[in-house]
Amino acid sequence: MSENFNNRNENEDLNPEEYGRTFSKFLKEDDTEKQQSLFKPIGVILAIAAVAAMAYAGFIYFTGNGDQITDFFKEHNFFEKTNKPKFSEKIFNRRQNILVLGVDSNGKDADPFDGTRSDTIVVVSIDPKTKSVNFLSIPRDSKVYIAHGKGVQKINAAHALGGIELTKDTIEETFGIKINNYIVFNTEGIREVVDAIGGVPVYVEKDMRYHDYTAGLHIDLTKGTHMLDGKTAEGFLRFRKDALGDIGRTARQQWFLRALADRLKSPEVIPKIPGALKVIDKYVKSDLSLYQMSQYAAFATSLDMSKIETATLPGAPNKRGYISYWILDPEQCREVINRMIYGKKHVLQEGEELPVAGIMYTADNAEKAEKVKSELEAEGFTVNMSKYRRLPHPQIQGHTNAISREFLDNIKKAAPEVEDFQFVFDPTRIYCVNSDFTIILSE
């Protein structure tokens, strides 16, 4: 790792050398014999539930409300300080990167964190200056050099070999991303957390049926709005038997996050937070204090969920013998990291050609698609239209760094129909190859 790494200015461009040896030696492999890699995006849900519940509970405690929560905190000695903090104080004055890991169980009665591989790896990057939050997912099968001479392996092996510290060092050395704090959770807690808060209301975009008797996974959901309990929420988040595969599953994860955030704001959930905290105490560990979490809660009150950006490090699946890797694309990874971690975006200049828009829609949304097309064309955009039978949840995907937050705000003003759509940055142009940004119109 570069000697100047820890002193990096957040506005500096990435130094390619700081990407580590992974990009120089292992990202040029042939993509023959590709197979679909299987990720478990459900893990990040538990982390968000943990932070949100604990932070919100901390906020209530520090502001003197909620006797049940206050008693629970006092009983478990969660606070070292007796003075209530002033929420005008800043716990950070620059971007903070929080590493979120979801790990699987090692078996019944085993330590939920010891020797476990990380099936979910997400860097949550928070910029207090712009009041923005970005979620960067690192595929668990990414082929990298594990730090401290542990050799070439999938990045998810780092936690099994050396816990959170080895994982942090591997990410810092490989991608040049400074990790400030961490949250590690065991994915077995997902059911218990959702059940503890009384379920989460979610719109299921289509019928979902799948049975894996070996894994004990049974999914039987019908299209429509459902109050998902822990078991059905797990099925909704793990379902991948459709044409979109993991892409569709990731979209459902994002949709579920928004529903979960709204649920945690509900007054009826407040009395249930102590129950959620008991689950979290068992399945989650972090170096964030509850004081810090309460400050994040105060920060979160000003956030618009539709302005949270998400991205996944681009690459392609590759199988070598019996081992399947995710071979990262160095140039596209650099583009994603520059945007999601260092805020690098291209500002359109006067006279510069406008990005090309793509609209994907289902038959039920044909009228809305034509309306959005007309609105964008009125602003001078060229628009490509594509009709599909099924699509993931509504979203806007940006394929170049010209699709900045300010640009998105202008798009949403021009086309109010997409105002609440979540943004996903994806330079691979997997949906519309001839467009610079894609609007997905579905249920």
Side-chain angles (χ1 to χ4, degrees):
M1 186 162 55
S2 168
E3 293 180 1
N4 296 323
F5 175 77
N6 290 322
N7 296 321
R8 178 205 297 281
N9 185 305
E10 66 181 39
N11 294 318
E12 290 179 3
D13 202 357
L14 289 176
N15 181 348
E17 293 180 358
E18 291 184 354
Y19 272 75
R21 293 169 291 178
T22 300
F23 288 108
S24 62
K25 289 188 178 182
F26 291 95
L27 299 184
K28 301 299 183 181
E29 306 240 1
D30 293 334
D31 291 334
T32 56
E33 204 173 351
K34 293 180 180 179
Q35 70 172 24
Q36 191 71 272
S37 56
L38 302 178
F39 305 122
K40 293 186 177 179
I42 65 168
V44 73
I45 303 300
L46 181 57
I48 299 303
V51 175
M54 295 175 76
Y56 192 37
F59 181 87
I60 294 172
Y61 173 83
F62 281 129
T63 53
N65 299 313
D67 291 339
Q68 289 179 316
I69 295 172
T70 300
D71 293 341
F72 181 84
F73 282 161
K74 289 179 178 179
E75 178 184 349
H76 289 78
N77 297 317
F78 277 166
F79 295 103
E80 297 178 0
K81 296 183 178 181
T82 56
N83 295 328
K84 298 179 180 180
K86 297 179 180 179
F87 284 92
S88 60
E89 298 176 5
K90 293 183 179 180
I91 62 170
F92 48 74
N93 56 15
R94 59 177 298 170
R95 185 181 290 271
Q96 301 289 300
N97 298 320
I98 302 174
L99 176 61
V100 178
L101 296 182
V103 299
D104 267 348
S105 174
N106 265 343
K108 186 178 180 181
D109 299 326
D111 187 308
F113 303 106
D114 185 34
T116 53
R117 288 178 177 255
S118 51
D119 282 321
T120 299
I121 307 171
V122 178
V123 178
V124 181
S125 188
I126 302 172
D127 188 347
K129 295 181 181 178
T130 60
K131 291 187 177 181
S132 63
V133 178
N134 296 340
F135 282 54
L136 175 61
S137 297
I138 302 175
R140 65 173 188 172
D141 290 343
S142 298
K143 189 177 185 180
V144 300
Y145 273 102
I146 304 297
H148 307 312
K150 300 297 183 180
V152 179
Q153 300 198 47
K154 296 179 182 182
I155 195 169
N156 72 338
H159 190 268
L161 295 172
I164 184 63
E165 293 303 324
L166 184 60
T167 305
K168 286 171 55 179
D169 290 346
T170 298
I171 290 174
E172 290 183 344
E173 292 183 10
T174 303
F175 305 111
I177 299 174
K178 174 64 179 178
I179 302 299
N180 301 103
N181 295 103
Y182 69 84
I183 302 169
V184 184
F185 59 93
N186 189 287
T187 54
E188 285 191 0
I190 182 65
R191 291 187 182 188
E192 295 187 35
V193 167
V194 173
D195 286 337
I197 63 173
V200 178
V202 172
Y203 176 77
V204 180
E205 73 271 22
K206 61 184 177 184
D207 292 346
M208 298 180 183
R209 290 184 175 86
Y210 174 73
H211 297 281
D212 185 340
Y213 292 93
T214 302
L217 176 63
H218 302 281
I219 304 171
D220 191 2
L221 294 170
T222 57
K223 182 177 179 179
T225 300
H226 300 271
M227 177 65 80
L228 301 182
D229 59 15
K231 184 177 180 180
T232 52
E234 179 185 16
F236 175 76
L237 294 165
R238 292 182 64 180
F239 184 79
R240 62 174 182 270
K241 295 298 180 179
D242 53 30
L244 294 172
D246 281 324
I247 298 174
R249 188 166 56 164
T250 299
R252 285 189 286 274
Q253 174 194 9
Q254 296 166 359
W255 191 260
F256 186 88
L257 278 174
R258 297 183 66 180
L260 176 61
D262 289 338
R263 176 69 171 160
L264 289 171
K265 295 177 183 178
S266 173
E268 66 183 88
V269 173
I270 293 178
K272 301 175 181 178
I273 289 179
L277 287 172
K278 291 179 181 179
V279 175
I280 290 166
D281 186 47
K282 177 180 178 182
Y283 289 105
V284 178
K285 68 176 182 178
S286 174
D287 63 348
L288 285 167
S289 69
L290 283 173
Y291 172 78
Q292 289 175 300
M293 289 185 182
S294 68
Q295 295 296 306
Y296 279 119
F299 173 76
T301 57
S302 63
L303 293 180
D304 181 348
M305 284 293 293
S306 67
K307 293 184 178 180
I308 293 178
E309 296 190 10
T310 64
T312 300
L313 287 183
N318 178 274
K319 187 175 181 180
R320 295 292 178 180
Y322 294 102
I323 303 177
S324 298
Y325 290 106
W326 184 256
I327 306 300
L328 298 168
D329 183 293
E331 294 303 321
Q332 290 182 344
C333 284
R334 181 178 293 110
E335 186 177 359
V336 169
I337 293 173
N338 272 335
R339 179 188 180 102
M340 303 298 288
I341 304 300
Y342 297 108
K344 293 288 185 178
K345 298 175 184 177
H346 173 69
V347 179
L348 291 174
Q349 302 300 317
E350 185 176 352
E352 190 172 351
E353 186 175 348
L354 287 174
V356 176
I359 297 179
M360 298 177 60
Y361 64 98
T362 57
D364 293 341
N365 289 281
E367 184 176 343
K368 182 187 290 187
E370 289 294 337
K371 189 172 188 300
V372 173
K373 179 177 183 289
S374 298
E375 291 167 339
L376 294 179
E377 288 179 337
E379 298 295 320
F381 288 96
T382 299
V383 181
N384 298 321
M385 300 281 283
S386 300
K387 183 179 178 180
Y388 286 81
R389 182 182 176 188
R390 290 176 177 173
L391 289 170
H393 287 99
Q395 60 188 270
I396 300 175
Q397 291 198 351
H399 310 305
T400 76
N401 270 324
I403 314 303
S404 64
R405 187 173 178 178
E406 294 71 25
F407 178 88
L408 287 169
D409 287 341
N410 290 331
I411 291 296
K412 292 181 177 182
K413 288 179 182 178
E417 294 82 3
V418 304
E419 183 176 1
D420 294 331
F421 284 20
Q422 191 164 350
F423 179 76
V424 178
F425 183 62
D426 180 11
T428 64
R429 301 173 188 264
I430 194 170
Y431 283 112
C432 293
V433 295
N434 296 319
S435 302
D436 298 311
F437 69 98
T438 303
I439 296 174
I440 298 178
L441 296 172
S442 56
E443 295 290 347

